[in-house]
Amino acid sequence: MNAKNILAHIWDYTALTFGIVIYCLSWTSFLIPNGITSGGGTGLCTIVYFASNGTIPVSVSFFVLNAILLVLGFMALGKVFGVKTIYAIILSTLLFDLFPKFDWVVTFDDKLLIAIVGGIVEALGIGIVLMRGGSTGGTDIAAMIVNKYWPVSPGKVYLFSDIFIIASVLLVPGKTLEDMIYGYVVMVTFSFMVDFVLLGQKSSVQVLIFSSRYKEIADSITKNMHRGVTAFHSLGWYSQNEGKVLLVIVRQHQLHDVVGMIKNIDNKAFVSVSSASGVYGEGFDEMKTGLKLKKKDQKNGDLSDENKS
């Protein structure tokens, strides 16, 4: 690795660490001390903490839960979890154990305000983690496992698991319907704000790359990013030099990695990025037009006609 790559990795892990610190503070300083839970794996660990009257710390249940999910994930999915995800889980476990010892608690007279601010802070931390290619595990891993074996989108897994986890707070002695509502307030605030931080994690961008080293860049993107690349013939009008312009469509959160990859190969490359309002096809969104259903119905109708004849 050259010096530029080393600095890029240092910056990535610095930003990742900063995001994890903010994420953990949102729970240890805002939500947990004020008796509020939310969705996800951390929300489940918080409910265990409340149910055990603090006997089982969040750090312990968080580590155990993610260790189990990682093992199941490796068994079901193979080696798909990056070093950043494992780093994020380990660091989060340590911070969930460390931060409560400093008694950094933020309180307001209005508990609803605590829930909203806590959700915003949590979204900011998770947004930074996701932008750097990391994950704090939990329902992220569970969603990947479920999606492999059943035709259920990860978004639905997140939604239903969060609804169930937050509702289960009613099983904790002393917790009321009001506590469940505060949990849903955190969930909605978090969902809205994390999309705002990421500028839409599921949104896509179209990247045009102008470089004399287009072949190396195209090979690197297809090999490392597993994204398709289209090369167009080009002619520089001023220089009259012929070459290729590369067209790549990636998710918004992958843009950082793509640009970094391009600059490592050719730091003089010209890159144009524009948002894509809708991208349909393999690796992106499914075009839902009802055509499959119509064809299926038509086929069934044809079979019925044949049977009648």
Side-chain angles (χ1 to χ4, degrees):
M1 294 177 65
N2 55 36
K4 188 177 293 185
N5 285 336
I6 293 174
L7 289 175
H9 276 77
I10 291 175
W11 169 245
D12 271 351
Y13 277 91
T14 301
L16 187 65
T17 302
F18 179 66
I20 296 169
V21 167
I22 295 176
Y23 170 71
C24 292
L25 282 174
S26 71
W27 285 94
T28 58
S29 297
F30 289 89
L31 303 180
I32 297 175
N34 291 282
I36 302 174
T37 187
S38 185
T42 309
L44 181 60
C45 296
T46 302
I47 292 175
V48 172
Y49 173 79
F50 292 150
S52 65
N53 290 321
T55 304
I56 303 176
V58 173
S59 58
V60 173
S61 55
F62 182 87
F63 179 78
V64 172
L65 174 65
N66 281 287
I68 294 172
L69 288 173
L70 279 174
V71 171
L72 293 175
F74 278 119
M75 292 171 60
L77 306 171
K79 299 178 180 179
V80 298
F81 303 106
V83 177
K84 290 181 180 178
T85 296
I86 297 175
Y87 170 78
I89 291 172
I90 294 174
L91 181 59
S92 296
T93 300
L94 295 174
L95 294 181
F96 277 132
D97 180 62
L98 178 64
F99 283 164
K101 297 176 181 178
F102 292 99
D103 198 25
W104 293 334
V105 178
V106 179
T107 57
F108 298 121
D109 293 333
D110 190 350
K111 197 171 181 178
L112 177 62
L113 185 59
I114 283 285
I116 294 173
V117 175
I120 293 174
V121 176
E122 181 189 8
L124 178 60
I126 286 293
I128 295 173
V129 171
L130 292 175
M131 282 192 293
R132 293 296 162 179
S135 168
T136 54
T139 49
D140 289 349
I141 302 174
M144 293 172 67
I145 297 173
V146 171
N147 185 248
K148 179 178 180 180
Y149 295 102
W150 292 279
V152 181
S153 67
K156 288 183 179 179
V157 177
Y158 297 143
L159 176 62
F160 291 131
S161 63
D162 286 353
I163 290 174
F164 174 79
I165 289 170
I166 295 172
S168 64
V169 75
L170 295 176
L171 301 175
V172 179
K175 293 296 182 181
T176 63
L177 185 64
E178 183 180 1
D179 295 297
M180 183 182 73
I181 293 173
Y182 285 133
Y184 287 129
V185 169
V186 177
M187 182 188 78
V188 173
T189 305
F190 170 81
S191 300
F192 175 79
M193 286 304 300
V194 79
D195 284 343
F196 177 78
V197 172
L198 293 175
L199 299 177
Q201 184 191 2
K202 291 187 177 180
S203 65
S204 302
V205 292
Q206 179 177 281
V207 184
L208 289 175
I209 307 163
F210 302 80
S211 171
S212 59
R213 302 177 64 179
Y214 58 85
K215 188 178 186 305
E216 296 173 59
I217 294 174
D219 289 341
S220 181
I221 291 174
T222 54
K223 179 180 178 181
N224 299 315
M225 299 296 299
H226 306 291
R227 287 297 187 188
V229 181
T230 301
F232 297 101
H233 177 74
S234 65
L235 174 66
W237 196 252
Y238 178 79
S239 63
Q240 293 297 304
N241 291 331
E242 294 186 350
K244 301 288 184 182
V245 175
L246 303 180
L247 171 65
V248 186
I249 297 178
V250 296
R251 292 295 191 188
Q252 175 75 44
H253 66 275
Q254 294 177 308
L255 180 60
H256 169 78
D257 293 332
V258 171
V259 173
M261 194 179 298
I262 295 169
K263 291 300 181 183
N264 283 334
I265 296 173
D266 182 7
N267 59 10
K268 294 183 179 180
F270 183 81
V271 180
S272 173
V273 180
S274 58
S275 60
S277 58
V279 180
Y280 304 98
E282 185 177 352
F284 291 92
D285 299 325
E286 179 184 356
M287 185 178 291
K288 300 177 180 179
T289 62
L291 293 177
K292 291 182 179 179
L293 181 61
K294 290 180 180 178
K295 288 180 179 179
K296 184 177 179 181
D297 292 341
Q298 184 179 1
K299 183 178 180 180
N300 291 336
D302 293 340
L303 290 173
S304 298
D305 292 339
E306 289 177 6
N307 291 333
K308 289 178 182 179
S309 61

